[in-house]
Amino acid sequence: MKIVFFLFITFHLVQTKAQQVTQIVKGNVSDEASKQSLQGVTIRLASNLSKTTLSDSSGNFKLTDIPLGRQRFIITAVGYEPLSLNNIIVTAGKEVDLTISLRESLMNLDVVEITANENSGGRKVNNDMLSVSARTFNMDETKRYAGSLGDPARMATNFAGVVSTNDTRNDIIIRGNSPNAMLWQLEGLNIPNPNHFGSLNSMGGSVSMLNSNLIDQSDFMTGAFPAQYGNALSGVFDLKLRNGNSEKHEFVTQMGFNGFEGGAEGPIGNSKGASYLINARYSTLSLFQNLGIEFGTGRATPEYMDLNYKINSRIGKHGNLSLFGIWGRSSMDILASEYDPEGQSYGNEYSNRYPRYQTSISGLSYKYQLNKKTAINFILGYSRTNEQFDRDSVNQENINQTIPDWHWRFKINKFSGVLHLHHKFNAKHSLVAGITEDFTNYTLFNRRMRHGVSEMILNNRNGDFGLMQVFTQWKFRMTDHFSMVSGLHYQYLSLSQTNSLEPRIGVKYEGLGSHVFGFAYGLHSQMDNILTYATVTTTAAGNRYTNESLGFIRSHQFILSHDWNIRSNTHLKTELYFQRLFDVPVTKAPSSFSTLNLGAETIPVLRDNLINEGVGRNYGLDITLERLFNKGFYYLLTGSFFSSRYQGSDGIWRNTAFNMKNVFNLLGGKEWKVGKQENIFGLSVKVSRVGGRYLSPVDIASSVIDGEIQYEETRAYSLQQPAYFRADVKVSYRKEFTRATMELALDLQNVTDNKNIFRQEWNAQQLNVINVYQQGFFPVPFVRFTF
């Protein structure tokens, strides 16, 4: 009832007289391969072809008096393939700014029809070099899908081959790989973990620092990606930030699970084309707790704040300069005195925990059009992560008496330089080449006190290293239907003085009527986590670092793809894949340990004396049946059947920690128009069923001696958890006013209150193993106001 009352009050914050409201739609059009701005491109509103305009010499265009609601635009130009942009949401509170790229036709056409296939642009990715296992997403999807909470990583769990590790974090497993095997990239810059409570030993966290209000259409890849991307084994988030409105000041206020936030954008000074875009957020979880909503941390309250920004300006006629970045800080006091066994996934009654995280990412990008066929992009970047964790043991007879138990402090500074060259020889041949240099300085200290007496140093290292990556990739379009992308990626790690030369190839055939076939192969490699290289080996002669000579983890990836366009808005896609991993770090002495199983822990798991002699294999089938948003209705059904196995130094094949074997997702939604002002009521439903993860049996005797949970290594990952099940429902309402838009939503997560196991934990007081369960029923209200 408290939530309903809250939404009712918010809904009546703004009242206005109903009247016919329209909006401005503008944007920029460029050539897909050369990045050259295109003049004379025709942009039409599909529902009213008299609403038309042409792009100017800079590729810019503007359409006025566009009706509110979901609109379709047709883009045509002589010599280029026509494009249809569908379901573009036009609201009263914000002008629409589109970034459009066109592909040159191989046929010499003097006349172009003014129509295009209704959904020809529905699944078009940004990167024209992608052949398989890739799809685009936008801000609308991160908000619209039930359970996504405006988070790209949580949204991606709806896609085939992608699984979340648990309800309380957004780490994702791609085709049986560790969450650490993926790459985050922002505006062409390789970035660290962009999440609150995102530890150095993982690539996820509890809440994303990426603000969905700034994200433009972006690409997500799940394997065999082209040579442009390196130092990753599973997938890539290639994120783009939109530019601010360069003609009008606009504002947004929002409150939801991710926090209280406010944003602004608009022109800078009198400079034509210069804009700013900024959004700040502060956590609201303390407010939710006061409303009686639990979110998996008991009475411990997560606190966080973040800032996302982008400043963009034209430099001369052919240049563009942008400054972008993310800053975030998060902390939480998890106290034994406030432990709630019924509503808490983290902590226990015999320890106090104090996690502190801070991350900053900044980049400066300069794009310059050398001529009509060649463009360069130069990026300078800097990122800093500062992670501190303290844990104290609590005296059960006197909770005010504590003993220091665990302390770590990880500081990482990374300086990056990126140079990309795009060149289009002609309609058939185009080239992209580039170099990336990441220079990392680190300070890593990790100490544990056993029973408050015996000190164990796990990490104690200061140093720096460089990771250089060079690539070239060439696209050959033999016909309008058949294309091939081939390339080479090279990387060198100065820390261990190892290198890797990686061939990549992708083939795509868009013929045979409504069928698209694709094939891709790639050799991919990735350095291990920096904590692994800096793990201490204690000897009589002092500390040694026996992992510093580790080379890259490498894998061969093969993907065969078929996409059947059943109707103009419905397609069935199947992908068969095989991945062979080798040179995986395992222990010198025979054991079941492999770094392939790491990446979903909050506390680092460290081993010394590792060698690159482990192997693994992932193979499976991904199936997607999708109806794109049409006539107010959409659905996305995905199924994945896979096997993920590995071999440690003992030579025995075992399940990996991420071998769930099967995943099923059903996502669907419907929108209804309400009233005369294009007000929209929406409903989204998601149901997920995931095969249970494999766990290792707990070694009771060793756990008693160590004080931490220990596992039977000879039986590693031999026990399977029960299958995971979860259902989410989201209801939303969008109301249009004269110059503003109000959006209300209620995301009912895990509506069946299913008790899925989170992890097993060792109770050092009772000397037994307890099951910790994941988040139960969790209602999340959301309010957004743009004006």
Side-chain angles (χ1 to χ4, degrees):
M1 291 301 296
K2 293 180 181 179
I3 297 173
V4 175
F5 176 76
F6 169 73
L7 294 176
F8 178 82
I9 293 297
T10 307
F11 174 74
H12 288 81
L13 286 176
V14 180
Q15 294 293 331
T16 188
K17 184 179 179 179
Q19 55 183 291
Q20 184 63 38
V21 181
T22 61
Q23 187 55 277
I24 292 174
V25 175
K26 57 187 179 180
N28 182 269
V29 189
S30 62
D31 183 280
E32 181 180 69
S34 69
K35 310 306 177 184
Q36 168 73 14
S37 298
L38 296 179
Q39 182 178 7
V41 177
T42 302
I43 299 94
R44 291 181 171 88
L45 177 64
S47 61
N48 182 359
L49 295 179
S50 64
K51 293 283 185 183
T52 183
T53 189
L54 297 175
S55 60
D56 61 20
S57 60
S58 298
N60 298 320
F61 67 89
K62 180 185 289 188
L63 287 166
T64 59
D65 299 324
I66 301 300
L68 305 186
R70 291 183 179 271
Q71 301 295 343
R72 175 175 169 239
F73 296 91
I74 300 171
I75 297 91
T76 56
V78 175
Y80 284 84
E81 297 178 1
L83 177 67
S84 175
L85 297 180
N86 313 299
N87 295 305
I88 303 300
I89 300 178
V90 181
T91 65
K94 176 164 180 34
E95 295 181 354
V96 178
D97 198 337
L98 302 173
T99 301
I100 302 169
S101 61
L102 296 182
R103 182 168 65 179
E104 186 175 358
S105 174
L106 296 182
M107 300 176 63
N108 293 321
L109 300 178
D110 295 325
V111 179
V112 179
E113 295 182 8
I114 65 171
T115 59
N117 182 283
E118 184 177 353
N119 282 284
S120 62
R123 297 184 299 276
K124 185 177 184 296
V125 293
N126 291 334
N127 191 333
D128 66 305
M129 297 285 179
L130 295 171
S131 302
V132 299
S133 299
R135 65 168 294 153
T136 185
F137 67 93
N138 55 37
M139 184 179 72
D140 176 49
E141 290 175 295
T142 64
K143 294 191 305 176
R144 176 161 38 101
Y145 291 172
S148 293
L149 300 175
D151 182 349
R154 284 184 165 92
M155 176 213 61
T157 60
N158 296 286
F159 304 152
V162 184
V163 190
S164 173
T165 57
N166 63 72
D167 292 338
T168 60
R169 291 175 58 87
N170 64 3
D171 309 79
I172 56 175
I173 300 162
I174 300 175
R175 292 177 169 172
N177 286 280
S178 162
N180 280 354
M182 64 164 291
L183 169 69
W184 286 99
Q185 193 173 92
L186 181 67
E187 292 286 294
L189 188 69
N190 298 333
I191 63 173
N193 189 341
N195 293 285
H196 290 296
F197 301 99
S199 56
L200 182 60
N201 59 293
S202 69
M203 288 302 286
S206 300
V207 180
S208 176
M209 291 191 296
L210 297 164
N211 195 294
S212 61
N213 290 312
L214 278 74
I215 294 176
D216 203 353
Q217 180 169 297
S218 303
D219 292 338
F220 176 64
M221 290 151 261
T222 54
F225 29 86
Q228 177 177 340
Y229 307 97
N231 198 34
L233 296 173
S234 64
V236 179
F237 265 111
D238 188 353
L239 301 169
K240 306 297 181 185
L241 300 178
R242 66 182 182 87
N243 295 330
N245 194 326
S246 61
E247 299 179 355
K248 176 186 175 183
H249 293 282
E250 296 176 325
F251 306 92
V252 59
T253 60
Q254 181 173 309
M255 195 200 78
F257 169 79
N258 291 343
F260 283 112
E261 60 185 88
E265 62 182 282
I268 299 176
N270 298 320
S271 176
K272 186 177 181 181
S275 66
Y276 72 92
L277 176 61
I278 187 169
N279 194 291
R281 174 171 55 184
Y282 184 78
S283 61
T284 54
L285 298 183
S286 58
L287 173 62
F288 287 166
Q289 283 186 322
N290 293 333
L291 292 173
I293 302 173
E294 295 292 342
F295 37 84
T297 56
R299 287 183 288 272
T301 305
E303 294 186 3
Y304 53 85
M305 61 184 70
D306 56 55
L307 181 74
N308 287 221
Y309 63 89
K310 184 178 182 181
I311 300 171
N312 186 76
S313 178
R314 297 287 298 179
I315 304 295
K317 188 176 181 180
H318 302 291
N320 190 89
L321 184 69
S322 62
L323 175 68
F324 59 91
I326 301 172
W327 174 87
R329 185 174 66 190
S330 51
S331 64
M332 181 165 53
D333 293 346
I334 308 173
L335 304 179
S337 60
E338 297 180 352
Y339 177 70
D340 177 12
E342 296 299 322
Q344 189 162 341
S345 299
Y346 296 98
N348 50 51
E349 70 273 20
Y350 48 86
S351 68
N352 294 333
R353 307 182 184 195
Y354 307 93
R356 301 287 186 268
Y357 301 89
Q358 184 168 316
T359 300
S360 62
I361 301 167
S362 56
L364 181 67
S365 173
Y366 178 64
K367 299 177 182 179
Y368 186 76
Q369 195 73 39
L370 294 172
N371 52 53
K372 291 184 178 181
K373 294 187 175 183
T374 308
I376 60 171
N377 184 14
F378 181 58
I379 308 169
L380 291 176
Y382 170 72
S383 64
R384 176 181 175 85
T385 60
N386 191 340
E387 175 184 348
Q388 180 173 325
F389 178 86
D390 289 283
R391 190 181 73 178
D392 298 336
S393 295
V394 175
N395 188 322
Q396 294 299 289
E397 298 178 358
N398 181 5
I399 61 173
N400 294 319
Q401 183 179 354
T402 61
I403 302 173
D405 182 36
W406 208 319
H407 167 81
W408 70 67
R409 181 73 175 266
F410 305 143
K411 294 182 180 180
I412 304 290
N413 292 282
K414 186 171 74 171
F415 303 86
S416 302
V418 181
L419 178 63
H420 285 177
L421 171 72
H422 296 260
H423 181 72
K424 178 180 177 181
F425 297 97
N426 50 47
K428 288 191 172 185
H429 300 276
S430 59
L431 175 76
V432 181
I435 181 170
T436 299
E437 178 68 42
D438 292 322
F439 179 81
T440 302
N441 174 267
Y442 61 92
T443 300
L444 307 173
F445 180 75
N446 185 356
R447 179 191 66 195
R448 182 185 163 203
M449 299 289 291
R450 280 184 174 174
H451 308 293
V453 179
S454 175
E455 181 180 69
M456 178 187 300
I457 301 297
L458 303 175
N459 298 108
N460 186 15
R461 191 69 162 165
N462 303 325
D464 51 60
F465 66 91
L467 177 64
M468 181 181 70
Q469 302 180 65
V470 182
F471 77 91
T472 181
Q473 54 193 30
W474 164 60
K475 183 172 184 178
F476 175 32
R477 297 176 59 208
M478 303 174 193
T479 69
D480 274 330
H481 303 292
F482 188 73
S483 63
M484 179 182 70
V485 176
S486 58
L488 280 174
H489 183 97
Y490 171 81
Q491 55 187 22
Y492 173 77
L493 177 64
S494 66
L495 182 63
S496 58
Q497 298 183 358
T498 56
N499 58 74
S500 178
L501 182 63
E502 305 158 13
R504 317 274 177 87
I505 189 169
V507 179
K508 190 174 183 180
Y509 181 65
E510 303 177 64
L512 299 178
S514 57
H515 297 271
V516 179
F517 296 91
F519 169 78
Y521 161 76
L523 175 59
H524 301 259
S525 66
Q526 184 180 39
M527 65 173 288
D528 214 303
N529 192 289
I530 183 59
L531 290 175
T532 300
Y533 294 95
T535 299
V536 169
T537 299
T538 303
T539 67
N543 291 338
R544 296 176 56 225
Y545 299 91
T546 52
N547 293 342
E548 282 193 335
S549 62
L550 288 174
F552 294 108
I553 307 171
R554 304 206 289 170
S555 75
H556 294 290
Q557 299 187 22
F558 302 85
I559 298 175
L560 187 63
S561 174
H562 171 239
D563 200 348
W564 175 27
N565 293 306
I566 302 173
R567 297 186 180 89
S568 62
N569 55 32
T570 306
H571 75 113
L572 175 66
K573 184 174 185 178
T574 56
E575 289 199 329
L576 188 66
Y577 65 88
F578 177 81
Q579 180 184 21
R580 178 181 177 272
L581 299 113
F582 58 103
D583 291 347
V584 179
V586 294
T587 56
K588 286 183 180 180
S591 79
S592 61
F593 177 84
S594 171
T595 59
L596 292 181
N597 297 310
L598 306 182
E601 309 84 9
T602 54
I603 293 178
V605 177
L606 303 171
R607 289 290 185 93
D608 61 350
N609 287 295
L610 300 181
I611 53 177
N612 290 105
E613 294 187 3
V615 295
R617 61 174 180 243
N618 301 318
Y619 59 88
L621 174 68
D622 291 341
I623 304 174
T624 300
L625 177 63
E626 181 177 19
R627 173 192 165 103
L628 301 176
F629 202 104
N630 184 264
K631 296 181 180 180
F633 175 59
Y634 70 94
Y635 60 76
L636 176 63
L637 283 74
T638 60
S640 298
F641 307 88
F642 66 98
S643 173
S644 178
R645 307 269 290 176
Y646 82 100
Q647 191 179 73
S649 56
D650 59 4
I652 300 174
W653 282 99
R654 294 180 171 88
N655 299 298
T656 70
F658 312 109
N659 189 19
M660 287 78 129
K661 295 188 176 180
N662 56 77
V663 181
F664 299 96
N665 287 308
L666 168 61
L667 174 72
K670 174 70 175 174
E671 289 186 355
W672 294 268
K673 294 182 181 179
V674 180
K676 299 180 180 180
Q677 288 290 343
E678 293 291 339
N679 300 325
I680 299 294
F681 174 79
L683 175 68
S684 177
V685 177
K686 176 185 177 181
V687 178
S688 297
R689 195 265 185 196
V690 183
R693 288 179 61 181
Y694 281 89
L695 299 177
S696 301
V698 177
D699 187 330
I700 302 296
S702 296
S703 299
V704 171
I705 295 172
D706 189 80
E708 296 288 334
I709 193 165
Q710 301 295 319
Y711 300 98
E712 295 183 29
E713 284 202 351
T714 57
R715 299 174 59 200
Y717 306 107
S718 59
L719 300 179
Q720 189 175 23
Q721 292 179 326
Y724 168 99
F725 177 82
R726 170 170 159 168
D728 303 322
V729 177
K730 182 177 183 178
V731 292
S732 61
Y733 181 70
R734 185 173 76 238
K735 182 172 179 59
E736 303 290 355
F737 301 96
T738 305
R739 296 177 181 174
T741 301
M742 173 78 78
E743 297 173 73
L744 306 177
L746 183 61
D747 205 329
L748 305 173
Q749 300 197 19
N750 196 1
V751 292
T752 63
D753 199 28
N754 197 59
K755 300 299 183 182
N756 296 299
I757 294 179
F758 178 30
R759 67 169 183 266
Q760 290 184 322
E761 191 166 283
W762 177 251
N763 188 318
Q765 302 299 322
Q766 300 177 12
L767 301 180
N768 61 8
V769 178
I770 58 175
N771 287 327
V772 180
Y773 293 91
Q774 299 191 43
Q775 175 183 288
F777 173 61
F778 184 20
V780 180
F782 170 86
V783 181
R784 185 170 184 260
F785 185 43
T786 55
F787 56 99

